[in-house]
Amino acid sequence: MRLSALTAALAVGIIAPLAPQTAFAAQAAPDSGSATTWYESQKPQWKQCGGTAPARFQCATIQVPLDYQRPEGPKTGVEISRLRTSVPGKRHGVLLFNPGGPGAEGLSVPLDMAAKLPASVLDKYDLIGFDPRGLGRSSPLNCGFTQEEDQFFDSPYKPETAQRDIATARSMAQKCEAKEGDRIPHITTRNTVRDMDVIRAVLGEKKISYLGISYGTYLGAVYTQMFPHRADRFVLDSAVDPKRVWRGMIQVRAEEAGSAFARWSKWTATRDARYDLGATPAEVRDTFWKLVRKADRAPITLRGESWDGDRIRGDLAFGFYYVKTGAEKVEDLRRASLGLPVGPPPAPAPYTPPPGGTETTWSVICGDDETAWPRNPAQYRKDSIRDKARYPIYGDFTSNIKPCAFWGKSAEPVTVVDNTVPALILQNEWDAQTPQITGIGMHKALKGSRLVSVKGGEGHGIYHGAPGQCAVKAGNDYLATGALPRRNVTCAATDDQNSLAEENTGSRTRAGLPTWSTGQPG
């Protein structure tokens, strides 16, 4: 899915590129009842990560069971990283990170977060990153996808392309079964969480603290469910709703896009002198839909690229969450449609998925809960037509067919998250990837949590957006002290913070496939 701006930036040059680990180690773990103990008693062989990273930034490979139900069976490697920042006498433990995904690398995150976290947090923790199983340096999957398949996700439903979409979805599932069928069933959220607990054990810690963003919030929530007594201070930033994984988390984006469109229409109408898109919200909305219909009749050429109505709808479904960006994009498209000059293009945001990134995305989305995905392609057609009528901006995109229609069975049931483990949830009001309603859903599932809502806050991934945001301070205070707010908190974003969040994450929200990682759709 779309990888985060953070992950894309960190993937280049900070850590020296290494040959990815092969599928999994042929050697099996000890064939005895002590297999689990063997994994937990490993001693990481730390080494400098290389590249331009500082010498004190270290990496190591640990072994975990490919299948935790058969710990004596094949192993698979997970690459972990460490940046020691704690101060003797102040040290509280380790702080583990996940930047999102599924399909996002996390090895370099400690370096990024070390520059963002205050001394009150850094003095207490050693910072730990890892590439989740199946991607990056952690035994990456390889299904042999074509470029088209690697980018297959945001597809509007059209009768004339429906059979091609079905064929692409089927081809992707068949390729993964043929090339990675032994491993695919074990690349799941539950197994990544088990890997996180092995990381805890090999680091010699009784508990871990954690900062997870987007999909990382679901990893954190499942950890609190599976290992409640080992969860220390957990911060969940831009949260997934555990009850919606995973088709529901895709479809909720269409459900919530209408609210963002309404807000954008009001904002833009008050700036008619600047954008010339309409003096009332109704006029602004009418301008947009006229533009979509015009592009459906004859695609608009903007800066050398062709925009039909579907591309406009799909792009603006995310652009509307950043009101200024949405207004500028619609203004440019309207001017281009009239043959008027437009300004220079925004800075490009190139992105190349990490090894195994797309495969891991689908393994998790399809494999965590097979029951969420209809098996009959006709059901996707029916749902897409229905949801385009309900949610005309993006409904057919989110309900169109995915490879999950042809995926294998889940190795185990989906996790029901329902506990009282303390956690702090941070949520922007206007988040295109994990909308506010999904943060509320996470709070309901984690009954011991507190929710910090940023009223008017734009962007996905609070920690990777605007460092000055009130929610960041709440997260830092919790990590430093362990004290949750007495009640849920609502604070307000400023225009400057929203602009910075947009600069850091917003321009990259549609760089590729959708995901629950920062700067995209997890």
Side-chain angles (χ1 to χ4, degrees):
M1 308 181 94
R2 289 173 213 148
L3 193 58
S4 67
L6 165 73
T7 308
L10 292 179
V12 181
I14 294 179
I15 296 179
L18 298 179
Q21 297 171 23
T22 53
F24 54 84
Q27 177 189 5
D31 187 9
S32 71
S34 64
T36 302
T37 303
W38 181 89
Y39 287 109
E40 294 181 348
S41 63
Q42 295 174 82
K43 302 299 181 184
Q45 301 299 305
W46 296 105
K47 58 186 180 298
Q48 184 178 354
C49 291
T52 60
R56 66 191 184 99
F57 185 55
Q58 298 177 310
C59 291
T61 304
I62 64 170
Q63 299 297 316
V64 295
L66 177 66
D67 179 358
Y68 277 88
Q69 308 309 313
R70 296 176 54 245
E72 74 284 355
K75 306 172 187 176
T76 187
V78 170
E79 190 81 0
I80 62 176
S81 61
R82 178 179 69 179
L83 188 65
R84 286 179 162 169
T85 61
S86 61
V87 175
K90 296 183 179 181
R91 187 181 190 276
H92 180 75
V94 297
L95 180 59
L96 183 68
F97 299 100
N98 180 273
E105 299 163 293
L107 207 61
S108 294
V109 175
L111 284 175
D112 177 70
M113 295 306 297
K116 295 181 177 181
L117 294 170
S120 60
V121 176
L122 296 176
D123 289 353
K124 287 183 166 57
Y125 298 97
D126 295 327
L127 310 184
I128 307 298
F130 71 108
D131 281 354
R133 58 167 56 201
L135 69 101
R137 289 193 189 180
S138 295
S139 307
L141 297 166
N142 182 3
C143 294
F145 291 151
T146 65
Q147 184 176 0
E148 178 186 7
E149 291 168 339
D150 213 34
Q151 298 175 349
F152 180 75
F153 200 105
D154 272 353
S155 299
Y157 174 79
K158 297 180 181 180
E160 62 267 29
T161 60
Q163 291 306 310
R164 184 185 68 191
D165 289 344
I166 292 170
T168 300
R170 180 184 286 112
S171 170
M172 293 173 71
Q174 290 175 342
K175 285 182 177 181
C176 283
E177 173 62 28
K179 295 195 68 174
E180 296 282 11
D182 291 341
R183 294 204 294 154
I184 287 286
H186 308 297
I187 308 298
T188 63
T189 294
R190 288 178 64 85
N191 279 339
T192 299
V193 164
R194 292 176 176 121
D195 295 345
M196 290 163 56
D197 198 56
V198 173
I199 292 171
R200 173 203 59 78
V202 301
L203 293 175
E205 302 290 334
K206 292 182 179 180
K207 293 185 176 184
I208 57 169
S209 294
Y210 178 76
L211 173 54
I213 301 173
S214 197
Y215 168 67
T217 67
Y218 185 59
L219 284 173
V222 174
Y223 189 95
T224 67
Q225 191 69 35
M226 295 177 67
F227 304 103
H229 301 299
R230 297 172 187 167
D232 194 0
R233 302 171 186 178
F234 271 47
V235 176
L236 309 180
D237 175 354
S238 306
V240 167
D241 183 346
K243 289 187 176 181
R244 293 177 182 256
V245 294
W246 282 112
R247 194 179 188 216
M249 276 303 301
I250 296 172
Q251 291 175 317
V252 74
R253 294 166 176 170
E255 297 168 19
E256 296 301 305
S259 297
F261 182 44
R263 171 182 178 250
W264 170 82
S265 301
K266 294 177 182 178
W267 185 92
T268 304
T270 64
R271 293 159 178 81
D272 185 44
R274 163 63 181 86
Y275 298 108
D276 192 26
L277 297 176
T280 67
E283 289 178 359
V284 172
R285 292 192 294 271
D286 188 54
T287 297
F288 173 75
W289 287 114
K290 283 181 177 178
L291 194 63
V292 169
R293 291 191 292 270
K294 185 175 183 178
D296 277 335
R297 293 191 298 270
I300 299 167
T301 299
L302 175 61
R303 301 187 183 100
E305 296 186 2
S306 179
W307 289 72
D308 62 9
D310 289 331
R311 183 175 179 183
I312 293 173
R313 289 190 299 120
D315 190 275
L316 270 300
F318 298 93
F320 287 139
Y321 281 85
Y322 298 95
V323 287
K324 184 172 180 289
T325 290
E328 291 174 349
K329 177 61 68 66
V330 176
E331 176 193 29
D332 285 347
L333 285 164
R334 180 174 175 273
R335 289 181 63 85
S337 74
L338 298 172
L340 299 174
V342 296
Y351 166 66
T352 301
T358 304
E359 289 89 342
T360 298
T361 293
W362 291 117
S363 296
V364 172
I365 290 177
C366 301
D368 272 359
D369 183 14
E370 65 176 276
T371 65
W373 297 98
R375 296 294 169 166
N376 185 352
Q379 186 64 49
Y380 292 89
R381 172 186 176 277
K382 179 180 178 181
D383 292 351
S384 296
I385 294 171
R386 176 200 67 197
D387 288 345
K388 185 175 183 180
R390 288 178 175 177
Y391 316 113
I393 294 175
Y394 203 52
D396 53 323
F397 286 78
T398 60
S399 290
N400 199 7
I401 196 161
K402 308 290 185 282
C404 306
F406 307 102
W407 215 256
K409 293 184 177 296
S410 298
E412 54 187 322
V414 69
T415 305
V416 176
V417 177
D418 183 8
N419 63 61
T420 59
V421 177
L424 186 67
I425 301 166
L426 312 179
Q427 190 68 43
N428 274 328
E429 182 179 11
W430 299 105
D431 180 337
Q433 319 303 334
T434 50
Q436 186 178 35
I437 192 173
T438 68
I440 294 171
M442 177 68 84
H443 176 49
K444 289 180 179 178
L446 297 178
K447 296 174 176 57
S449 68
R450 295 292 183 270
L451 174 63
V452 178
S453 302
V454 185
K455 185 175 179 59
E458 297 178 354
H460 180 59
I462 287 173
Y463 264 91
H464 297 318
Q469 249 190 33
C470 49
V472 172
K473 182 181 184 303
N476 291 340
D477 288 348
Y478 176 55
L479 290 172
T481 68
L484 285 171
R486 292 184 178 181
R487 58 185 64 86
N488 293 340
V489 175
T490 298
C491 56
T494 67
D495 289 342
D496 287 344
Q497 287 166 353
N498 280 344
S499 294
L500 183 57
E502 183 174 10
E503 178 182 340
N504 288 344
T505 65
S507 65
R508 296 170 173 85
T509 57
R510 295 189 52 77
L513 294 169
T515 184
W516 291 273
S517 61
T518 49
Q520 320 182 39

